[in-house]
């Protein structure tokens, strides 16, 4: 696999693991000392990050669309940014809604134990929009 493909592959796996609720697989793409900061939360380890994912229990479903990426490799360390739109289906007052968030992740990926993993992935929410949803 080309080095240029690694950030995209990890971002897509992250989206899939979240949307499929396969949180136990996050260790495949994140280091044990993985950190993440976002609006109103901080995680200082993979275990703490997995605890923050419990907030997704508030949603019927999620759908993460991975968009643009840019960054640079310096030896075995990548620093870059991934744009994403994360959709969250939830119910309020008997109505189904879709909360969309435009997200810019600040990614750090390192070669650890024979593979590439996120060591940090800070989350910056650019915009949100909560609208009625017509799910099948």
């Amino acid at each position: 696999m080309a080095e240029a493909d690694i950030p995209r592959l990890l971002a897509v796996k992250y989206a899939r693991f979240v949307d499929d609720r396969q949180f136990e697989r996050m260790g495949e793409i994140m280091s044990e000392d993985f950190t993440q900061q976002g609006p109103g939360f901080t995680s200082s380890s993979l275990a703490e990050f997995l605890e923050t994912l419990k907030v997704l229990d508030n949603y019927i479903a999620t759908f993460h669309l991975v968009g643009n990426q840019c960054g640079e490799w310096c030896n075995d360390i990548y620093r870059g940014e991934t744009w994403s739109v994360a959709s969250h289906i939830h119910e309020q007052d008997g109505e189904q809604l879709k909360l969309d968030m435009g997200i810019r992740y600040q990614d750090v990926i390192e070669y650890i134990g024979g593979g590439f993993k996120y060591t940090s992935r800070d989350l910056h929410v650019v915009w949100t929009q909560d609208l009625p949803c017509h799910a099948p």
Side-chain angles (χ1 to χ4, degrees):
M1 170 185 334
E3 223 174 43
D5 297 331
I6 292 165
R8 179 100 183 144
L9 176 65
L10 289 179
V12 169
K13 283 185 176 185
Y14 178 94
R16 184 174 187 185
F17 294 165
V18 169
D19 291 342
D20 290 347
R21 303 298 193 264
Q22 295 179 339
F23 306 140
E24 72 281 356
R25 296 190 65 190
M26 288 295 190
E28 296 174 26
I29 62 169
M30 296 176 169
S31 65
E32 288 296 319
D33 61 349
F34 172 80
T35 64
Q36 186 173 67
Q37 295 181 36
F41 72 92
T42 300
S43 300
S44 299
S45 68
L46 176 58
E48 283 183 19
F49 169 74
L50 293 174
E51 282 296 312
T52 68
L53 293 177
K54 288 182 179 179
V55 72
L56 296 176
D57 291 343
N58 297 317
Y59 301 102
I60 297 164
T62 57
F63 184 92
H64 288 72
L65 181 63
V66 178
N68 302 331
Q69 286 185 306
C70 66
E72 293 182 359
W73 287 95
C74 182
N75 300 317
D76 287 338
I77 300 175
Y78 170 87
R79 294 184 191 284
E81 188 170 51
T82 300
W83 287 259
S84 177
V85 175
S87 298
H88 302 77
I89 308 301
H90 63 106
E91 196 170 295
Q92 182 177 326
D93 300 326
E95 181 180 23
Q96 205 165 63
L97 302 171
K98 179 174 65 105
L99 171 63
D100 287 331
M101 296 190 301
I103 298 172
R104 293 177 79 163
Y105 289 101
Q106 305 303 306
D107 299 326
V108 179
I109 298 168
E110 296 185 36
Y111 189 77
I112 299 170
F116 290 94
K117 294 185 175 191
Y118 287 115
T119 55
S120 73
R121 189 160 215 235
D122 291 343
L123 183 151
H124 173 71
V125 177
V126 178
W127 54 264
T128 64
Q129 176 176 289
D130 205 9
L131 296 172
C133 176
H134 306 286

